[in-house]
Amino acid sequence: MSPSVPLQEMIRAIRSARTQCEERGVIQRECAAIRAQFRQTDNGGRSHNLAKLLYVHMLGYPAHFGQMECVRMIASPRYSEKRVGYLGAMMLLDEKQDASLLITNSIKNDLSHSNQYVQSLALCTLACMGSAEMCRDLAPEIDRLLRSSNSYIKKKAALCAVHIVRKVHELGELFVPSARSLLSEKNHGVLHGAVVLITELCERSPETLERFRKVSVPDLVQIMKGLVISGYSPDHDVAGVSDPFLQVRILRLLRILGRNNEAASDAMNDLLAQVATNTDSTKTVGNAVLYETVLSVLDIKSESGLRVLAVNILGRFLLNNDRNIRYIAMTSLQKIVSTDHNAVQRHRGTIVDCLKDQDASVKRRALELSLALVSASNIRSMMKELLIFLSSCPPELRAHAASGIFNAAERYAPSKRWHIDTILHVLTTAGGDVRDETVPNLIQLITNTSELHCYTVHKLYRALLTDISQQPLVQVACWCIGEYGDLLLKGECQETEAVQVTEDDVLDALEIVLQSHMSTPTTRGFALTATMKLSTRITDNVDRIRSIVSIYGSCIDVELQQRAVEYNALFKKYDHMRAAVLERMPVIQKNSLGQTNGELSEEPIKESQPGKVKQEEMALPQQPAGQNVYLTFHKLVCSTYLNQFKVFFMLLLASAPTVTVYEKNGVTLTLICERQSESGLTVTLTASNSTDSDISSFTLQAAVPKSVQLQMRAPSRDSLPAHGGAKLTQLVVLNNPNKVGLQNANRTVPTSLTSIKMS
Amino acid sequence: MRFLLLFSRQGKLRLQKWFVPTSEREKKKVIRDMIMLVLPRQPRTCNFLQWKDLKIVYKRYASLYFCAGLEEHDNELLALEVLHRYVELLDKYFGNVCELDIIFNFEKAYFILDEFLMGGEVLETSKFAVNVSMEQADTLQESFKVSYH
């Protein structure tokens, strides 16, 4: 085994490797050498070996075999080995490893070591990776060290105590007395540690908070004053600010102590005002202190003058050239926009300007804040800015911006037309990023704005002609053209310039959508339905529509094919119903959604899916399942339009109490339905035979969906004599307790109900 | 502070310090994400980013990126100062520090960090005290043996 090279040579060798493969080779060799060295007894180069392993670990290679070596090194009497051993422990061991328990004893011993640097190694490691058990074990030791006379140890013990409190909350009680006494220290390091410890204790326990509030506020104010007013101290000065780290921590502690407490807030009022006015804000460090001050002022019960001062500081930050400062300002303003809304509104102009900043972080903050600042009075101007932003905003912000704009438009729209225009604008610019419920929401809005139907359909038609790539827009456009195509063809409109189109033009537009490769299946479904609806609204080109529909009867997409076949059937067998089925949708009542399928009623009203004709469950809570037999066209009529549905239904019932469902080879089968109860239905099946020969062993079988209960009573006879001599009747009782709709099953019910066995 | 990372412009990690217990997988993921977030940033953009529920503060010094992950209540501007102070300490110790110093003496970089930060908080606010401690500790290391009391 070749002797392993010293650390720096190894690093050089790894760095000079030209390929990943070469590097791996070097590292494998070195690791093997290191492993061999670990197995040997003590030699001088142990710390070097471990250091090499740590380097390899940092490059991302596995190094778990070094864990035991760390444990051994920590127990070594040599400081150099201890140092690297503890470093290894912090890098390789965490509280989940079993080996970490093994070092508890070493740490305990080292905490009482005579040399402060050994002690500090132990403290540092405990604060880095100490598990809950280790913390519980060693907490009294730490508390003892907090009272030692050595500042170096005290400051480390203080932060170690912070870690212990974070890990095991109950131990906080133990440190309260020592923490209090530490506040009177002069050493900044110790003071800083004490403030952090007290902050941690107060955040965890309200009683401790109370205690510190009573006694410590004057002390803290005193210390702060000393820092702010004192002269230059070379040790702690950073660009003219004396110990900004300590200042910021004290301000944060004051914030926690003054929150929701009048007395404490009063005590710190003057100080905060002083810090806010005296701190130099030309450099980042001064701004850091000012930032913390502003956060504190806004969070405690400060007097109004001070609050105004704080918001003004934020306003100044907004105008700062430094992007970081502007970012910070917007973050802070976001926190107070709900409470101090008017104060923030004053800076709206600057915030809106930040929307145009190059930096993506600043843009994001500006967007959030702008959306929060939209109100009824500024909606028009704000929306203009937001729409400009939307057209040039980075892709990751588009979805958020679009939904924010929709919410704002919904709450503050000054007029319906403005609302519709805004939504259309968003769909044209960022159509790909809007959420799914935008389409039904928009359709609902359009339906309910009956005075603007003409305007809307004209606008959408024009949009469709320009661009068919934005799916949500195309879907809405198709739906509108289908619904209001007659208004489009009339050629006159009050609100906007009318287009002069012929029926062929409109059908051309829809056909382009149908055939385009950019259209998703959903969009094509919309287009096909729209084409079908136009068959009742136009006069000349019904044949063209018929041919389009029949072409799609053999489409590969199953959904489209099903629709086309159904529409075909509507043309052929049920032509008399076509007008009724395809008439204008009624205005959607918001509460009608609650009556749809049981599941849907939980959703908020907004989540209506009026346009989504394809996936709706058939919602007929009042209509028992059996009667759905008639309704192979359930999908045509959107289920949420209950009114229309009921009308259609009544029509059917009124016109056909007896329905012939099977008529073939001389055998006729009819159904009569009678509703018995909320969920029950009886169906009387009557069969008759008009052939020349008798039919014997005639049985009827029925199939229903799982949730519907079926009971077949005994038939009156089991043979059908020739020439309609006698009829066979059989009663079938159906119970639909869940009032579920029948979907595809529906289409097969007629055939399954009439499967006839004939001998 | 949750973590502190140093990486080069080519995305090579030079130092990693984790102040909360994190699994190896999680660490690797965070490192990857940070490198992907920070490296493409343009020169004069904001030094703050939002990543999941953390605030990320980064600063570029020569060929090294210093990247810190902060919690909700931490002061971002102060974090910039913390990063700057660490660079100053390294500079003082190594004398005109460059990336190579940190590569070849990575354990010293860790020791200095451990004198400056502990548990994610600032341990020593004085510029000089940290270097004094480091010198003394190094001297101790040179000495031959340390005995138990």
Side-chain angles (χ1 to χ4, degrees):
Chain A
M1 183 76 64
S2 62
S4 66
V5 298
L7 172 64
Q8 307 218 334
E9 275 192 44
M10 180 193 84
I11 297 180
R12 219 165 275 135
I14 292 175
R15 280 170 61 77
S16 59
R18 265 171 302 226
T19 62
Q20 186 77 305
C21 196
E22 233 183 286
E23 180 182 292
R24 263 201 297 270
V26 174
I27 288 179
Q28 265 172 4
R29 269 199 311 277
E30 282 302 323
C31 282
I34 292 171
R35 261 191 289 244
Q37 296 274 0
F38 282 172
R39 272 181 248 127
Q40 287 178 12
T41 51
D42 181 27
N43 56 26
R46 272 170 73 187
S47 52
H48 288 296
N49 285 325
L50 189 55
K52 277 194 270 186
L53 185 60
L54 293 178
Y55 183 81
V56 165
H57 171 75
M58 189 153 61
L59 289 178
Y61 296 90
H64 40 267
F65 56 87
Q67 287 175 3
M68 283 316 293
E69 185 68 10
C70 290
V71 176
R72 272 194 290 266
M73 300 261 290
I74 287 173
S76 147
R78 288 206 194 110
Y79 179 69
S80 57
E81 293 181 355
K82 269 194 200 295
R83 220 179 182 192
V84 183
Y86 273 116
L87 179 64
M90 286 193 273
M91 283 178 75
L92 299 178
L93 295 174
D94 58 38
E95 54 186 31
K96 295 194 190 72
Q97 315 284 358
D98 299 325
S100 64
L101 290 171
L102 297 171
I103 63 174
T104 313
N105 217 25
S106 299
I107 293 183
K108 198 180 209 156
N109 289 336
D110 285 336
L111 281 177
S112 347
H113 203 277
S114 54
N115 188 302
Q116 65 178 15
Y117 293 104
V118 176
Q119 282 177 303
S120 93
L121 285 177
L123 284 166
C124 190
T125 309
L126 182 61
C128 181
M129 44 77 72
S131 66
E133 294 88 51
M134 286 165 73
C135 289
R136 259 185 266 262
D137 220 0
L138 300 168
E141 199 48 34
I142 304 298
D143 191 44
R144 189 182 64 80
L145 289 173
L146 275 178
R147 292 172 224 270
S148 99
S149 52
N150 184 335
S151 318
Y152 182 75
I153 293 299
K154 265 194 284 201
K155 75 182 183 204
K156 297 216 174 192
L159 287 184
C160 195
V162 170
H163 174 86
I164 293 178
V165 173
R166 282 182 188 155
K167 268 276 179 264
V168 185
H169 305 329
E170 302 84 56
L171 288 172
E173 264 306 307
L174 179 62
F175 297 117
V176 171
S178 348
R180 260 199 67 185
S181 54
L182 282 177
L183 266 189
S184 41
E185 287 285 324
K186 291 280 170 276
N187 180 305
H188 280 223
V190 179
L191 213 43
H192 187 276
V195 172
V196 176
L197 180 57
I198 296 175
T199 312
E200 195 66 35
L201 292 171
C202 291
E203 274 174 347
R204 302 261 168 213
S205 146
E207 299 91 48
T208 323
L209 177 62
E210 267 310 308
R211 270 154 64 184
F212 275 109
R213 193 181 274 154
K214 289 198 191 88
V215 296
S216 307
V217 175
D219 293 331
L220 290 167
V221 170
Q222 202 60 30
I223 299 171
M224 240 344 243
K225 267 208 180 94
L227 287 172
V228 174
I229 307 176
S230 75
Y232 177 75
S233 149
D235 213 14
H236 300 110
D237 178 271
V238 181
V241 180
S242 184
D243 206 342
F245 306 107
L246 184 57
Q247 285 196 30
V248 167
R249 284 319 296 235
I250 293 181
L251 285 167
R252 205 167 118 190
L253 180 55
L254 285 174
R255 180 154 90 236
I256 293 172
L257 294 176
R259 206 179 272 161
N260 292 327
N261 185 295
E262 291 279 351
S265 306
D266 281 336
M268 48 182 94
N269 236 341
D270 289 338
L271 170 72
L272 291 173
Q274 193 171 27
V275 176
T277 33
N278 285 355
T279 310
D280 175 24
S281 60
T282 48
K283 296 274 174 61
T284 310
V285 63
N287 286 324
V289 176
L290 278 174
Y291 175 43
E292 198 71 32
T293 316
V294 165
L295 286 180
S296 293
V297 167
L298 294 173
D299 211 9
I300 64 173
K301 290 197 179 301
S302 47
E303 56 176 40
S304 56
L306 193 53
R307 263 189 117 77
V308 168
L309 179 60
V311 178
N312 285 346
I313 292 179
L314 287 179
R316 256 190 5 244
F317 277 2
L318 270 181
L319 299 167
N320 197 309
N321 280 331
D322 188 343
R323 281 204 173 93
N324 294 337
I325 310 282
R326 270 185 280 161
Y327 183 93
I328 293 293
M330 285 194 278
T331 320
S332 320
L333 287 172
Q334 186 84 36
K335 291 193 187 127
I336 59 165
V337 74
S338 38
T339 45
D340 298 73
H341 192 88
N342 293 330
V344 184
Q345 280 281 5
R346 239 176 276 137
H347 302 283
R348 187 163 46 94
T350 330
I351 294 169
V352 166
D353 280 336
C354 287
L355 279 173
K356 305 188 187 100
D357 196 300
Q358 301 288 353
D359 186 310
S361 307
V362 173
K363 270 197 169 98
R364 179 190 292 269
R365 287 272 162 247
L367 173 64
E368 300 246 11
L369 204 45
S370 305
L371 287 174
L373 285 177
V374 172
S375 74
S377 44
N378 58 30
I379 178 73
R380 282 189 195 263
S381 49
M382 284 297 274
M383 194 52 78
K384 227 183 291 187
E385 295 290 337
L386 286 170
L387 289 173
I388 295 174
F389 173 72
L390 188 63
S391 40
S392 60
C393 88
E396 63 268 13
L397 288 179
R398 254 202 225 132
H400 187 67
S403 60
I405 290 176
F406 282 149
N407 286 339
E410 175 121 5
R411 282 164 65 188
Y412 301 113
S415 75
K416 293 264 186 183
R417 180 172 154 172
W418 182 94
H419 194 176
I420 291 179
D421 279 340
T422 311
I423 298 186
L424 288 180
H425 193 132
V426 175
L427 287 180
T428 10
T429 24
D433 297 295
V434 297
R435 282 207 279 264
D436 291 333
E437 59 258 17
T438 317
V439 171
N441 282 346
L442 180 55
I443 290 180
Q444 179 178 9
L445 179 64
I446 293 175
T447 322
N448 291 352
T449 321
S450 40
E451 64 272 18
L452 289 176
H453 283 168
C454 193
Y455 169 75
T456 318
V457 73
H458 274 93
K459 265 204 103 155
L460 284 169
Y461 178 71
R462 281 205 194 90
L464 195 65
L465 289 180
T466 339
D467 172 27
I468 57 168
S469 60
Q470 305 278 32
Q471 296 304 300
L473 185 62
V474 173
Q475 286 170 9
V476 177
C478 288
W479 191 90
C480 273
I481 293 175
E483 277 292 300
Y484 310 119
D486 46 334
L487 294 175
L488 187 63
L489 293 165
K490 244 198 291 197
E492 56 187 43
C493 181
Q494 291 165 327
E495 309 269 339
T496 179
E497 191 191 305
V499 284
Q500 304 301 327
V501 284
T502 64
E503 295 173 0
D504 272 320
D505 293 332
V506 177
L507 288 174
D508 280 340
L510 287 175
E511 242 190 309
I512 292 176
V513 173
L514 265 175
Q515 291 164 353
S516 163
H517 62 276
M518 287 191 279
S519 304
T520 62
T522 322
T523 314
R524 290 162 99 199
F526 270 90
L528 190 60
T529 310
T531 314
M532 189 59 197
K533 284 189 197 167
L534 283 178
S535 71
T536 48
R537 294 171 180 42
I538 62 176
T539 44
D540 300 327
N541 289 22
V542 184
D543 286 331
R544 184 175 168 185
I545 295 182
R546 226 193 285 251
S547 63
I548 294 177
V549 164
S550 59
I551 289 174
Y552 279 89
S554 43
C555 174
I556 283 186
D557 184 75
V558 178
E559 173 62 36
L560 277 181
Q561 188 191 105
Q562 179 169 3
R563 281 186 200 223
V565 167
E566 287 177 353
Y567 296 160
N568 248 333
L570 196 55
F571 266 122
K572 299 208 173 86
K573 272 178 78 178
Y574 297 94
D575 206 35
H576 53 283
M577 286 192 226
R578 189 159 52 91
V581 171
L582 297 175
E583 72 178 14
R584 259 310 144 85
M585 293 291 193
V587 170
I588 301 176
Q589 307 294 335
K590 286 235 164 130
N591 56 10
S592 75
L593 295 174
Q595 292 168 5
T596 57
N597 235 330
E599 298 103 300
L600 278 179
S601 60
E602 260 83 75
E603 292 179 59
I605 301 297
K606 271 240 190 98
E607 307 295 312
S608 62
Q609 313 265 324
K612 288 245 157 91
V613 175
K614 66 165 180 158
Q615 280 139 350
E616 257 3 83
E617 304 262 334
M618 185 161 55
L620 299 170
Q622 290 92 333
Q623 318 304 331
Q627 290 169 322
N628 300 339
V629 160
Y630 306 122
L631 302 167
T632 58
F633 311 114
H634 64 279
K635 285 188 182 177
L636 262 184
V637 183
C638 176
S639 61
T640 58
Y641 288 63
L642 221 45
N643 301 332
Q644 177 163 1
F645 208 53
K646 277 193 220 166
V647 164
F648 173 49
F649 203 71
M650 291 309 159
L651 265 176
L652 282 168
L653 283 185
S655 59
T658 312
V659 173
T660 309
V661 293
Y662 184 85
E663 204 165 353
K664 215 175 179 185
N665 301 329
V667 178
T668 315
L669 187 66
T670 57
L671 294 177
I672 301 173
C673 298
E674 269 166 355
R675 192 170 5 143
Q676 302 299 326
S677 67
E678 265 299 303
S679 60
L681 171 79
T682 48
V683 180
T684 312
L685 302 163
T686 314
S688 64
N689 174 12
S690 58
T691 62
D692 292 340
S693 46
D694 291 338
I695 299 175
S696 57
S697 310
F698 186 100
T699 53
L700 287 165
Q701 295 174 332
V704 287
K706 274 200 198 124
S707 48
V708 179
Q709 295 156 4
L710 174 76
Q711 237 187 345
M712 297 206 46
R713 300 277 161 80
S716 60
R717 44 188 306 127
D718 68 343
S719 62
L720 283 174
H723 301 298
K727 293 209 165 119
L728 183 153
T729 52
Q730 185 166 18
L731 206 64
V732 177
V733 180
L734 291 167
N735 192 15
N736 184 9
N738 298 333
K739 303 192 180 143
V740 296
L742 303 174
Q743 302 149 293
N744 281 321
N746 192 43
R747 304 194 65 240
T748 59
V749 165
T751 40
S752 62
L753 260 182
T754 60
S755 78
I756 298 174
K757 272 173 142 185
M758 305 219 290
S759 60
Chain B
M1 199 183 290
R2 292 256 183 103
F3 57 81
L4 177 65
L5 303 173
L6 264 71
F7 46 86
S8 72
R9 294 229 289 150
Q10 285 78 37
K12 290 217 132 144
L13 191 66
R14 297 298 175 209
L15 188 144
Q16 54 175 325
K17 188 76 185 178
W18 302 88
F19 297 111
V20 289
T22 331
S23 70
E24 278 297 327
R25 265 189 67 204
E26 185 64 29
K27 282 184 196 173
K28 284 201 162 67
K29 181 168 189 309
V30 172
I31 294 170
R32 245 198 339 263
D33 285 347
M34 287 304 111
I35 292 178
M36 273 193 333
L37 270 181
V38 171
L39 284 182
R41 298 277 289 183
Q42 300 295 327
R44 255 158 313 153
T45 51
C46 192
N47 292 98
F48 310 133
L49 297 166
Q50 189 75 25
W51 180 77
K52 295 196 185 164
D53 62 328
L54 292 181
K55 303 194 259 203
I56 307 296
V57 178
Y58 76 93
K59 192 109 200 272
R60 186 176 147 209
Y61 288 92
S63 56
L64 271 182
Y65 282 94
F66 287 66
C67 176
L70 305 177
E71 293 177 337
E72 184 58 39
H73 45 68
D74 287 328
N75 185 325
E76 297 99 311
L77 291 174
L78 197 70
L80 278 178
E81 287 303 311
V82 167
L83 294 178
H84 190 75
R85 173 60 71 86
Y86 183 48
V87 172
E88 281 180 345
L89 292 171
L90 288 171
D91 198 44
K92 199 81 192 295
Y93 183 80
F94 288 110
N96 260 336
V97 67
C98 63
E99 191 184 342
L100 284 177
D101 288 323
I102 300 183
I103 296 172
F104 283 96
N105 299 291
F106 70 95
E107 77 274 19
K108 297 277 166 50
Y110 274 102
F111 296 147
I112 295 175
L113 187 62
D114 287 335
E115 287 295 320
F116 175 47
L117 299 176
M118 194 199 271
E121 309 287 345
V122 171
L123 174 60
E124 178 55 65
T125 59
S126 153
K127 280 187 271 203
F128 309 128
V130 174
N131 287 106
V132 165
S133 315
M134 279 302 290
E135 277 170 34
Q136 291 186 345
D138 286 342
T139 325
L140 188 59
Q141 185 165 321
E142 300 310 312
S143 78
F144 215 56
K145 205 171 168 112
V146 174
S147 55
Y148 283 111
H149 60 244

